[in-house]
Amino acid sequence: MDLPNATMDEWVSELKPYQANSINQLLNEHAPEEAIKLWLSANGPNTTIQFGGSRDSPEPFFDKFKKEFKKFICGDESYESFRTQLSAETPVAKAIYISVISAALGAALGYAATLLAPAVAIMLNLVCTMGINAWCNAN
């Protein structure tokens, strides 16, 4: 899989404006993985439970998210149909990467792709910064 080499700003600019604004604010104050954890632990309305099902720590959901993201990026066969879908698009826009990966991970984790898109955008930047092989070996 070939990912476009893009900056964090370029990946985040592909998100919906309300997501991009929130993520940019988190990224201004935190490292990328911490920003993902904070995004995934957002409570929203007082009557809802965050992604991990717990009000304490976003770690369990973040760990599941990162594991599934790694499986997608590093070539696990369970995501082969989604990677095939991406390779059929020429050229593949950053927004399509975010959309397809968010949909795949959302299906595996049981969450809406729209809610995962900001975390996926940040992770894609981290992978592009290191390179796929280096990221897969380091994570």
Side-chain angles (χ1 to χ4, degrees):
M1 177 167 51
D2 293 326
L3 294 174
N5 191 11
T7 65
M8 184 70 78
D9 288 340
E10 291 170 325
W11 283 111
V12 171
S13 72
E14 298 295 331
L15 300 171
K16 296 182 185 316
Y18 75 91
Q19 292 172 322
N21 291 337
S22 296
I23 287 297
N24 280 326
Q25 187 174 15
L26 289 172
L27 289 169
N28 284 336
E29 299 171 12
H30 305 280
E33 283 198 6
E34 187 62 26
I36 293 170
K37 290 176 189 175
L38 290 168
W39 175 264
L40 295 178
S41 68
N43 286 328
N46 291 337
T47 58
T48 61
I49 299 291
Q50 61 204 26
F51 286 111
S54 165
R55 294 197 186 273
D56 301 328
S57 169
E59 293 294 328
F61 186 77
F62 175 73
D63 292 343
K64 290 176 189 173
F65 167 79
K66 193 170 178 182
K67 178 181 176 185
E68 291 301 317
F69 185 85
K70 180 179 179 177
K71 286 168 56 176
F72 189 102
I73 295 296
C74 300
D76 187 276
E77 66 183 46
S78 62
Y79 290 107
E80 189 59 37
S81 65
F82 291 99
R83 284 191 300 277
T84 300
Q85 180 183 350
L86 279 174
S87 65
E89 302 284 335
T90 308
V92 182
K94 291 180 291 301
I96 293 172
Y97 276 104
I98 294 168
S99 176
V100 169
I101 294 171
S102 296
L105 299 185
L109 296 168
Y111 290 95
T114 305
L115 299 174
L116 296 177
V120 168
I122 294 171
M123 291 297 287
L124 285 168
N125 174 258
L126 295 176
V127 171
C128 288
T129 300
M130 287 184 78
I132 291 175
N133 291 334
W135 189 85
C136 289
N137 289 326
N139 287 279

